[in-house]
Amino acid sequence: DDGDAERELGSALQFCGRTFQKVKDDDESNDDNNNNDNNNDNNNSNNNTPDLLLCSKFAPKPWRTSPDSVVQACRSSMERLGVNSIFLYQLHYSDAISQPFKIFGYVNNKDEIYWEGLARCYHEGLIEHVGVCNYGPQNTRAAHAFFAKRNVPLASNQINFNL
């Protein structure tokens, strides 16, 4: 029902708005504590926190076969969004679950290729944070270890959660 969907979206946006406002308020109180005389409530030039934090994700697709294809996907997202960087860029799901020929014994898991692409995006300054989605404990540990070797913090694992 459209009414239920609108109410759910409204609730989510209210939650996000309250959370964002708290973060913004905390940042402003930190500015006050730092005695920043240049702080102007009507001017965000001294505050590095943007009014909106954009996140995006990409899916493992058969044509994404190299780290460069992940970097290109990120650049394309940035262009579509009209931004110079993305706050959080996530791998939508592990390639391990999208192996249609596994039943025939053929597996071509490209997670490490995608992780390398995310690491390049991070080191090139295209993204501020790296994340994954729908990872279980084993894949989360593997991704964390991979990124740690490249000095890239794994910031999130977005999972499906239903009440």
Side-chain angles (χ1 to χ4, degrees), residues 111-160:
D111 278 343
E112 289 193 8
I113 290 170
Y114 300 140
W115 299 341
E116 182 61 37
L118 283 167
R120 288 185 190 177
C121 290
Y122 177 82
H123 286 298
E124 288 181 25
L126 303 176
I127 61 176
E128 294 182 42
H129 302 282
V130 168
V132 294
C133 302
N134 305 305
Y135 271 37
Q138 183 178 351
N139 281 346
T140 302
R141 282 190 290 275
H144 179 268
F146 184 94
F147 288 123
K149 289 178 184 174
R150 288 154 181 79
N151 296 315
V152 176
L154 179 60
S156 70
N157 180 11
Q158 178 184 344
I159 59 170
N160 188 18

Side-chain angles (χ1 to χ4, degrees), residues 99-110:
Q99 297 293 319
F101 299 110
K102 184 176 184 178
I103 193 168
F104 303 112
Y106 177 76
V107 176
N108 184 19
N109 186 338
K110 297 184 288 297

Side-chain angles (χ1 to χ4, degrees), residues 62-121:
W63 57 85
R64 290 202 177 107
T65 58
S66 70
D68 288 338
S69 65
V70 174
V71 173
Q72 183 53 48
C74 181
R75 289 184 190 279
S76 295
S77 290
M78 291 168 50
E79 186 176 325
R80 285 189 305 274
L81 292 167
V83 297
N84 294 325
S85 70
I86 295 174
F87 180 73
L88 173 65
Y89 198 49
Q90 298 176 305
L91 175 56
H92 196 6
Y93 51 86
S94 172
D95 192 45
I97 64 171
S98 62
Q99 297 293 319
F101 299 110
K102 184 176 184 178
I103 193 168
F104 303 112
Y106 177 76
V107 176
N108 184 19
N109 186 338
K110 297 184 288 297
D111 278 343
E112 289 193 8
I113 290 170
Y114 300 140
W115 299 341
E116 182 61 37
L118 283 167
R120 288 185 190 177
C121 290

